[in-house]
Amino acid sequence: MDLIVHSLYSNKEVFLRELVSNASDALDKLRYLSVTDPDLLKDGPELDIRIQTDKDNGIITITDSGIGMTRQELVDSLGTIASSGTAKFLKTLKESQEANVDSNLIGQFGVGFYSAFLVSDKVAVSTKSPKSEQQYVWEAEAESNSYTIREETDPEKLIPRGTRLTLYLKRDDKGFAHPERIQKLLKNYSQFVSFPIYTWQEKGFTKEVEVDEDPAEVKTEGDGEPKKEVKKKTKTVVEKYWDWELTNETQPIWLRTPKEVSTEEYNEFYKKTFNEYLDPLASSHFTTEGEVEFRSILYVPATKKEDITDRKTKNIRLYVKRVFISDDFDGELFPRYLSFVKGVVDSNDLPLNVSREILQESRIVRIMRKRLVRKAFDMILGISCSENRDDYEAFWENYGKFLKLGCMEDKENHKRIAPLLRFFSSQSNEELISLDEYVESMKPEQKAIYYIAGDSLSSAKNAPFLEKLNEMGYEVLLLIDPMDEVSLTNLNSYKDKSFVDISKEDLDL
């Protein structure tokens, strides 16, 4: 068990993600089965997950009101590592006549439960199935190679239905038992699980209370005797109490149809998710089906990304069935020159315990990457076709160098990159033009796209080589960025027109 846990999970904090995903599956199974057997819900219709912590003793309790397990199911599911009850359930589902039913089951491997031992010395699973009259407790210690199962006899620990996991944390991992830490992990990994997740949180409310002041001597009319009078004053105090607090949002924005989502909602999600303060320049919300199924929302930021060589970014958040997996990528989902694109990708086809090696070798990821790149180009093309020319000028100022880098690194996408490039020209009055605009204004007899490189716009415009072409009315691209000439050299041609450097001795007009 130690080998499996530590080879599959390199990050300890994913234990909560895995256990919450299992709880969500248990709830989903109950919801599905109750359609044909409503009696399964007789012990309570509420379907939720509740997490309580004891930071002083280092204990975390995760309770779901899902399907629960019988004694035999405990043996089958937790007695054998990597035996997945969810996988068996899905298999039965597919073999049934109702295989087309919409299921939100997350778990794909039985090892998810054993991630609890990443942080725990001991784990107890107390579970009650609606198919059984008894509640059973499964217990095991991290260093042990065995487990025990007993019937629960303590009336105070009985639950009407579902499963309660109790994690007794290791000394070095007791920090996970702080309510704030649990809430932070849930918001990061399990924010969009389909069922409500409640955490036990300390809260407070303010109230006014009376306070006594020192007696003051006050003389009353008609009598010289002093009379003591106590003045009452109030002060504001905070009353502390503990209560359940809803921690997650159950409907991720990307699962909604684009028609239902407003531009303001897309922008708000973007700013909240990526800690941005400016609205994005563009967004794209799409679903891909067929060979690979995933949903995604992509954004072009309005803020400039300075480091063009930084391949490793946290711009893409990868989810598997609404559960956050990672945002730590090194070119697996997007090439380096599109690393400025931000967004979320939610796949149904990748495993929950996906690693960097799996991403690099996965055929599914290669297909996803192609489609994501295509959608990113469509989004950028949309900005370039905007009626407001300033929109694309802002984009080009921020990310023009990235597209030029794409000319050098991505030959397969030259046809998508080339229309997005912008250059100064001898006839453009210091405005950037596209290659399409250049080709449209070419002379009928002109066979090539002419260019000249210079240190600055003025030096390029005053180059002696330019005089003859100006006389003939030929437009010339003025390349003043060191990457411009390399980009055109890599493109080689555009719309069957080759690029020609007018400073070459063998220029043939």
Side-chain angles (χ1 to χ4, degrees):
M1 183 174 72
D2 185 72
L3 178 63
I4 285 185
V5 168
H6 290 93
S7 62
L8 281 172
Y9 302 102
S10 56
N11 182 6
K12 279 188 175 184
E13 65 183 30
V14 301
F15 82 93
L16 190 64
R17 179 194 78 185
E18 297 291 313
L19 299 179
V20 168
S21 297
N22 285 350
S24 175
D25 282 352
L27 291 162
D28 222 352
K29 289 179 193 177
L30 178 65
R31 183 167 60 182
Y32 171 74
L33 293 171
S34 66
V35 174
T36 53
D37 187 0
D39 285 346
L40 293 174
L41 295 173
K42 67 183 179 182
D43 295 315
E46 296 82 10
L47 300 178
D48 57 30
I49 301 166
R50 294 179 183 264
I51 303 177
Q52 195 165 6
T53 58
D54 177 352
K55 64 180 179 182
D56 295 329
N57 296 306
I59 298 172
I60 299 174
T61 306
I62 304 170
T63 307
D64 69 72
S65 55
I67 191 65
M69 288 176 278
T70 63
R71 189 183 192 284
Q72 188 57 49
E73 286 169 338
L74 266 178
V75 173
D76 293 341
S77 298
L78 303 188
T80 306
I81 291 178
S83 173
S84 171
T86 297
K88 291 176 185 174
F89 185 79
L90 280 171
K91 186 178 179 183
T92 307
L93 216 61
K94 288 176 182 176
E95 291 172 352
S96 73
Q97 293 179 348
E98 299 165 335
N100 60 344
V101 70
D102 183 28
S103 171
N104 288 319
L105 290 166
I106 298 170
Q108 290 160 292
F109 297 99
V111 293
F113 163 74
Y114 288 92
S115 64
F117 290 99
L118 284 169
V119 296
S120 308
D121 280 327
K122 176 184 172 184
V123 176
V125 182
S126 185
T127 184
K128 168 72 167 62
S129 168
K131 302 174 189 175
S132 172
E133 295 296 324
Q134 289 79 33
Q135 180 174 324
Y136 293 98
V137 181
W138 180 100
E139 286 184 336
E141 294 185 5
E143 302 302 323
S144 173
N145 57 3
S146 63
Y147 61 88
T148 61
I149 295 179
R150 59 179 172 82
E151 186 178 336
E152 181 60 81
T153 54
D154 186 345
E156 293 185 1
K157 295 182 179 178
L158 294 177
I159 54 177
R161 180 195 65 234
T163 302
R164 177 184 294 138
L165 268 69
T166 305
L167 312 184
Y168 301 89
L169 301 179
K170 299 173 182 176
R171 180 184 296 177
D172 293 342
D173 296 313
K174 287 188 177 181
F176 284 112
H178 285 257
E180 301 82 8
R181 182 84 180 272
I182 289 292
Q183 200 169 48
K184 183 179 178 183
L185 291 177
L186 288 171
K187 285 183 179 295
N188 189 40
Y189 288 102
S190 305
Q191 175 83 339
F192 303 111
V193 165
S194 296
F195 297 94
I197 304 173
Y198 294 93
T199 53
W200 190 244
Q201 297 289 335
E202 186 178 34
K203 302 188 174 194
F205 65 91
T206 57
K207 68 176 184 178
E208 298 288 324
V209 295
E210 290 185 347
V211 291
D212 292 329
E213 207 178 59
D214 291 336
E217 289 190 357
V218 179
K219 287 188 176 181
T220 58
E221 290 182 12
D223 123 38
E225 291 296 319
K227 187 176 181 182
K228 288 187 176 180
E229 184 181 283
V230 179
K231 291 184 178 180
K232 295 291 183 182
K233 281 195 171 183
T234 62
K235 68 175 181 179
T236 302
V237 296
V238 178
E239 190 82 18
K240 298 282 188 179
Y241 68 100
W242 288 81
D243 198 4
W244 293 109
E245 181 178 301
L246 182 65
T247 302
N248 67 321
E249 298 173 21
T250 55
Q251 178 66 4
I253 189 173
W254 61 81
L255 290 185
R256 295 161 60 186
T257 58
K259 290 180 182 177
E260 296 175 356
V261 188
S262 66
T263 302
E264 289 73 23
E265 287 178 297
Y266 282 127
N267 293 349
E268 190 60 34
F269 175 75
Y270 165 75
K271 288 189 278 193
K272 181 180 175 183
T273 304
F274 298 102
N275 197 26
E276 292 279 357
Y277 61 93
L278 293 177
D279 289 340
L281 294 176
S283 64
S284 176
H285 182 186
F286 59 93
T287 300
T288 300
E289 295 176 341
E291 195 175 7
V292 173
E293 181 181 333
F294 67 91
R295 295 170 184 265
S296 180
I297 302 178
L298 300 179
Y299 295 94
V300 174
T303 48
K304 188 174 184 179
K305 182 177 184 289
E306 297 292 345
D307 191 355
I308 193 172
T309 61
D310 181 18
R311 180 188 292 268
K312 198 170 185 178
T313 67
K314 291 186 178 292
N315 287 352
I316 300 297
R317 291 178 62 85
L318 175 65
Y319 291 78
V320 173
K321 295 187 177 181
R322 308 170 312 284
V323 177
F324 175 66
I325 301 301
S326 179
D327 59 1
D328 185 16
F329 298 110
D330 189 15
E332 288 85 3
L333 290 175
F334 272 99
R336 177 171 62 158
Y337 69 92
L338 287 178
S339 60
F340 60 87
V341 175
K342 297 189 176 186
V344 296
V345 180
D346 187 4
S347 166
N348 285 345
D349 300 309
L350 289 169
L352 273 181
N353 58 333
V354 64
S355 64
R356 172 66 49 72
E357 291 73 22
I358 291 174
L359 281 175
Q360 289 172 340
E361 296 172 8
S362 171
R363 176 178 156 275
I364 294 170
V365 172
R366 287 196 293 271
I367 296 171
M368 285 172 62
R369 176 183 162 120
K370 276 190 175 182
R371 295 182 184 175
L372 287 168
V373 168
R374 196 178 307 155
K375 287 292 183 180
F377 277 121
D378 291 344
M379 184 169 52
I380 298 168
L381 188 62
I383 304 174
S384 73
C385 295
S386 169
E387 293 180 3
N388 185 355
R389 195 177 178 101
D390 292 342
D391 291 345
Y392 196 73
E393 286 181 4
F395 168 83
W396 184 256
E397 184 178 347
N398 288 345
Y399 306 115
K401 286 189 176 183
F402 287 82
L403 294 185
K404 294 172 191 176
L405 180 65
C407 293
M408 307 172 205
E409 294 188 345
D410 191 357
K411 190 174 182 180
E412 284 184 20
N413 282 303
H414 275 179
K415 286 186 178 179
R416 291 190 174 93
I417 299 172
L420 302 172
L421 299 176
R422 296 293 184 268
F423 304 95
F424 290 106
S425 91
S426 58
Q427 297 177 9
S428 66
N429 197 23
E430 297 194 8
E431 284 187 358
L432 293 164
I433 67 165
S434 67
L435 292 177
D436 282 325
E437 288 171 317
Y438 182 98
V439 171
E440 284 174 16
S441 62
M442 283 174 64
K443 298 286 184 184
E445 72 279 6
Q446 190 176 339
K447 296 178 181 178
I449 298 173
Y450 298 116
Y451 71 86
I452 187 169
D455 295 333
S456 65
L457 192 56
S458 60
S459 67
K461 277 190 169 184
N462 294 317
F465 304 102
L466 203 58
E467 291 178 14
K468 188 173 182 181
L469 283 97
N470 283 339
E471 290 172 6
M472 298 175 69
Y474 288 166
E475 189 171 14
V476 178
L477 297 179
L478 309 177
L479 312 185
I480 59 172
D481 185 298
M483 295 180 74
D484 286 343
E485 188 171 5
V486 185
S487 303
L488 293 189
T489 305
N490 278 274
L491 287 178
N492 195 34
S493 65
Y494 184 71
K495 291 189 174 178
D496 297 326
K497 307 288 185 184
S498 58
F499 296 105
V500 173
D501 183 354
I502 65 170
S503 65
K504 300 296 182 187
E505 293 180 2
D506 56 349
L507 177 64
D508 180 12
L509 296 174

